[in-house]
Amino acid sequence: MFSANNFIPAPYSHSVESGNFQWSSPSNIALVKYWGKKDKQIPANPSVSFTLNNCKTFTTLAFAKKQNQENFSFDLLFEGKPKEDFKPKIQQFFERVLVYLPFLKEYHFKIDTKNTFPHSSGIASSASGMAALTMNLMSLEKVLNPEMTEDYFYKKASFLARLGSGSACRSVKGKVVVWGNHDNIQGSSDLFGVEFPNTIHANFNNFQDTILLVDKGEKQVSSTLGHNLMNGHPFAERRFEQAHENLDQLIIIFESGNLDDFIKIVESEALTLHAMMMTSMPYFILMKPNTLEIINAIWKYRNETKIPVCFTLDAGANVHVLYPENTKEAVLQFIQNELVGYCQNGQYICDEIGIGSQLIIDN
């Protein structure tokens, strides 16, 4: 049984003066949602997500040994330009993970990051961004400890990414990732994400996710505040039980390939997430009128055509349209004909299931 102490390293056997790495890490979309957390970024309920392929962050980490090792030292660039307002989050992350990465104060870091999707598009970039930074830091630790196994590398990467952004732990490795302890999923843990270990039917191969950008503005309520509002929420305990039940159902659905049952779980989860927001105190609504227009249009289209297309939502107004690859032509035609008008500036992003983080440069 892993505990956080498993990730505190013994003294390193090697040293390195300078170098650089680059990793890409994708965003992910939860099917069973996590909403509510305990201390130290522990989820109040388990979640499962599809890893995306096209919406990703590329992060380059350059590092050089420094004389003064009392404080953290880093420059942060976004798309090649200094980004001061990101720095407090990185500082906080370094403070959280120092015990697990004791070399952090020994180097000056230059962190250069960019997204394949518009930064202000309302797609959560904290998951892909924190995962990409963590993968680079783990590459450096692997130089300092070359005996590290691949399994440990990815477990620790997911564990650390979680301390930067909870859902980032689901962007490290695997097509379908479970985060949170669940009795019927072997190896599942509150500490890190794991690849879904059970059978997945061919119906879910290359599953498509077209993201409709309904509202690209900043969210009125931060995810951190939203999660905290589950403390003392009148429906919280029942919601946490429901997440476990829905995950059990998805184990069966992934094996059988039953898309009708998949749709019921996924859409119910999306609406439950927003119901929790609407019934917290203070209460809030992140859906926009066009979000509801899209949902109703999807229901009408599915009813008329029997094509197994469905929606899910993150903690925001944008709509993720999920559908099997063999329906792609018809669904994209439907999106262009009927849904684009509800998107801000007609913008949407075509994505599909990916495999997780990728090493680009190792120097």
Side-chain angles (χ1 to χ4, degrees), residues 284-296:
F284 56 102
I285 300 176
L286 293 184
M287 286 193 267
K288 300 288 184 189
N290 281 354
T291 309
L292 296 175
E293 294 284 0
I294 290 167
I295 288 170
N296 281 308

Side-chain angles (χ1 to χ4, degrees), residues 204-263:
F204 298 102
N205 289 352
N206 297 330
F207 220 73
Q208 303 292 300
D209 178 7
T210 299
I211 307 157
L212 307 181
L213 303 180
V214 172
D215 180 41
K216 304 191 333 186
E218 290 290 314
K219 286 189 294 196
Q220 310 101 295
V221 179
S222 75
S223 292
T224 300
L225 179 61
H227 283 294
N228 290 342
L229 292 175
M230 288 298 280
N231 298 329
H233 193 296
F235 309 129
E237 288 311 311
R238 180 65 196 106
R239 162 58 199 154
F240 301 148
E241 290 170 8
Q242 180 197 39
H244 282 272
E245 292 160 9
N246 284 343
L247 200 40
D248 272 331
Q249 296 243 26
L250 269 182
I251 293 170
I252 298 164
I253 289 164
F254 277 140
E255 185 165 6
S256 69
N258 187 321
L259 292 173
D260 290 338
D261 287 349
F262 175 80
I263 286 167

Side-chain angles (χ1 to χ4, degrees), residues 42-177:
I42 297 296
N45 66 266
S47 58
V48 63
S49 61
F50 280 156
T51 306
L52 297 182
N53 187 57
N54 303 330
C55 290
K56 59 179 67 173
T57 299
F58 286 82
T59 298
T60 305
L61 181 79
F63 57 92
K65 268 271 172 71
K66 62 188 177 76
Q67 295 297 316
N68 179 347
Q69 299 187 358
E70 289 176 20
N71 300 305
F72 301 116
S73 173
F74 62 92
D75 297 319
L76 186 61
L77 305 176
F78 179 67
E79 295 179 347
K81 295 174 184 166
K83 190 74 174 168
E84 292 301 313
D85 53 335
F86 280 11
K87 289 186 84 169
K89 184 158 188 175
I90 304 299
Q91 175 79 20
Q92 182 188 45
F93 174 61
F94 279 5
E95 288 166 3
R96 279 182 181 169
V97 302
L98 179 61
V99 65
Y100 309 109
L101 298 174
F103 60 79
L104 283 176
K105 288 185 176 178
E106 297 175 19
Y107 294 93
H108 174 75
F109 297 104
K110 182 181 173 187
I111 304 162
D112 196 347
T113 188
K114 63 183 179 183
N115 297 330
T116 59
F117 50 93
H119 172 61
S120 60
S121 63
I123 294 172
S125 57
S126 59
S128 56
M130 295 311 294
L133 174 58
T134 301
M135 300 311 293
N136 281 293
L137 293 171
M138 283 305 299
S139 284
L140 173 50
E141 186 172 62
K142 188 151 177 34
V143 174
L144 301 173
N145 175 21
E147 294 79 33
M148 185 188 298
T149 66
E150 184 177 344
D151 180 63
Y152 181 87
F153 177 93
Y154 282 104
K155 269 198 176 80
K156 182 166 178 176
S158 182
F159 168 82
L160 295 172
R162 189 198 93 237
L163 294 173
S165 168
S167 56
C169 75
R170 299 190 309 239
S171 286
V172 169
K173 188 172 190 274
K175 296 180 177 182
V176 180
V177 180

Side-chain angles (χ1 to χ4, degrees), residues 213-354:
L213 303 180
V214 172
D215 180 41
K216 304 191 333 186
E218 290 290 314
K219 286 189 294 196
Q220 310 101 295
V221 179
S222 75
S223 292
T224 300
L225 179 61
H227 283 294
N228 290 342
L229 292 175
M230 288 298 280
N231 298 329
H233 193 296
F235 309 129
E237 288 311 311
R238 180 65 196 106
R239 162 58 199 154
F240 301 148
E241 290 170 8
Q242 180 197 39
H244 282 272
E245 292 160 9
N246 284 343
L247 200 40
D248 272 331
Q249 296 243 26
L250 269 182
I251 293 170
I252 298 164
I253 289 164
F254 277 140
E255 185 165 6
S256 69
N258 187 321
L259 292 173
D260 290 338
D261 287 349
F262 175 80
I263 286 167
K264 286 174 193 164
I265 296 288
V266 168
E267 292 190 342
S268 166
E269 276 284 320
L271 294 173
T272 300
L273 171 68
H274 285 261
M276 291 297 108
M277 299 172 193
M278 291 185 222
T279 49
S280 62
M281 187 62 72
Y283 41 79
F284 56 102
I285 300 176
L286 293 184
M287 286 193 267
K288 300 288 184 189
N290 281 354
T291 309
L292 296 175
E293 294 284 0
I294 290 167
I295 288 170
N296 281 308
I298 289 171
W299 284 343
K300 180 170 180 279
Y301 175 78
R302 187 170 72 223
N303 199 35
E304 289 172 354
T305 64
K306 308 305 177 200
I307 289 174
V309 56
C310 66
F311 72 88
T312 189
L313 308 165
D314 261 339
N318 297 332
V319 182
H320 289 250
V321 185
L322 301 176
Y323 50 98
E325 188 179 35
N326 64 4
T327 66
K328 184 173 177 178
E329 196 175 329
V331 174
L332 284 177
Q333 194 65 57
F334 159 62
I335 288 168
Q336 287 158 7
N337 290 350
E338 296 187 40
L339 303 184
V340 164
Y342 299 121
C343 300
Q344 196 170 334
N345 303 323
Q347 284 189 292
Y348 62 95
I349 297 171
C350 291
D351 213 329
E352 60 189 358
I353 287 186

